[in-house]
Structures are given as structure tokens and as C-alpha cells.
Amino acid sequence: MLDVTVIEDAEAAAVSLDPVRARLLAELAAGPASAAMLAGRVGLPRQKVNYHLKTLERHGLVELAGERRKGNVTERMMRATAASYVISPQALAAVQPDPDRFRDQLSARWLLALGARLVRDVGLLVTGAAKARKRLATYALDGEVTFASAADRAAFIEELTAGVSALIRKYHDGDAEAGRPHRIVVAVHPTVKPEAAAGPEAVAGTEAVAEPGPAAGPEAVEAPAGPETTH
């Protein structure tokens, strides 16, 4: 079972969003189970659960883990193909966000478009690497910092931009024949409170998401080719 997988197909996305099927996926992420076992947990007839399982299996969201005999019946033990799922913007290809339509470092919606593209691109790369039976070289850094003031936050953004820009200039080689472009995305946003993720309290402080200094231009945080360490 994978830790996380990306759903790229629109029909598979629709299937996963059904409340009953989402509940079955959650149950099967915890461990293999048969339709009869799941029926008792979700309060549905075994036949109905079996129908939902077949639909999930057809879209690659669950798979056969094994079979077991129970009396005169052979039960199919199913498991989720991943512990969690992310729906790619590729599933809504006609209306997926396009960060190239506008570039505004102070826009939370542009940040959202960048994040959506990140999910789409990494999902496609993971799928391709799995088919080719190759490892995918990636790197991610996640951290949290508490700023004493808006001025400190602005200074941090300015230094971060200058540092990343310097690394890009140092390692970028547009003339390398065997070189492979890498995308770099740097983001800063207020931390969401887990206990209030769905409420207005979750976004406290968003009146000033970031205040980059003059060095923060679009080219500073994103380049067509970046250092090999930021796959």
C-alpha cells in the first residue's frame, strides 16, 4: 500500500468522492476486509457493499489482498491501494488552475494555483516513474517560523528570495546538453490551526500573508531550470 497516491482520472475522482465509497476506502486503508466484514461496519447490506467495492476496484482505488474460506463461501479480502488520496487538477483538465495566466507573489490565489500545478505535475511524475519502474528524484522542505512582527516577516522574505535567487544563478546551466530542467516553488503562508481548519479562526493573520522586499520578483522564486537538489 502506498502512503499517498494521486487520482488523475475524472471518473475515479467522482467515485472516490461518494460518501459511502470514501468511508469504505477509509476502512480498507486500516487493513484488508471482505464485503461481509465491511457491511457490519458501515451498516449496509453485503450486496450493496460488494457493488461499491467492485466500482472502486474498477478504478484502481482498491485491490485484491487475498481470499479466505468461510464455510462454503470464498470471501475476497480487499485493501485500499493507498492510505490516502489526492485528487489532481488533471481530473478537471478543462478548468484546472494555470499559474501562467497571471503572476502575483502577493496573491493567495496564485499560490493556490502553484500548489495545484505541483500536485498535478508530481502526480504525473509518480505515475510515470512507477510505470517505468524507476525512482523519482524529488526534494521537499517543510518548516514553521513565528515572526515577531510584519517587518521581520518582510525581512525574512527578502533574504529567502535573495538566497534562492543566488542558488539558481549559481547552478542553472541553460546550455547543458544533458541537463534536465527542475521546477522550484517557494511558498510562505500563515499556519492553519488544525482544530479550526474549517472555520474563520483557521486563517487568522491573513491580512498580511507576505511582504516581500524589492528583491522579490517572479523570476526569483521560480525558474525554468533549477539546482539538482530541488528535484
Side-chain angles (χ1 to χ4, degrees), residues 95-184:
V95 291
Q96 64 180 306
D98 180 6
D100 292 331
R101 288 179 188 153
F102 69 100
R103 302 175 66 87
D104 181 357
Q105 287 181 299
L106 299 180
S107 169
R109 298 188 186 280
W110 189 59
L111 175 56
L112 192 61
L114 287 174
R117 184 179 61 188
L118 180 66
V119 170
R120 182 200 66 191
D121 290 355
V122 174
L124 291 172
L125 289 168
V126 167
T127 300
K131 290 180 179 178
R133 297 181 180 275
K134 293 182 178 180
R135 294 187 61 185
L136 178 62
T138 62
Y139 169 78
L141 176 65
D142 180 34
E144 184 173 323
V145 57
T146 299
F147 298 113
S149 66
D152 283 352
R153 183 179 59 241
F156 173 86
I157 295 297
E158 186 171 353
E159 290 186 40
L160 177 66
T161 301
V164 173
S165 298
L167 284 172
I168 291 174
R169 289 192 298 270
K170 179 179 180 180
Y171 288 98
H172 174 59
D173 186 353
D175 298 324
E177 293 184 2
R180 179 176 181 179
H182 287 68
R183 185 171 296 282
I184 300 169

Side-chain angles (χ1 to χ4, degrees), residues 1 16 18-32 38 41-42 56 61-62 79-80 82-85:
M1 178 191 296
S16 69
D18 177 88
V20 172
R21 292 166 187 159
R23 170 72 186 281
L24 293 175
L25 284 175
E27 292 289 343
L28 292 175
L38 291 168
R41 299 178 192 174
V42 301
L56 290 168
L61 301 176
V62 304
R79 66 183 175 196
S84 57
Y85 300 85

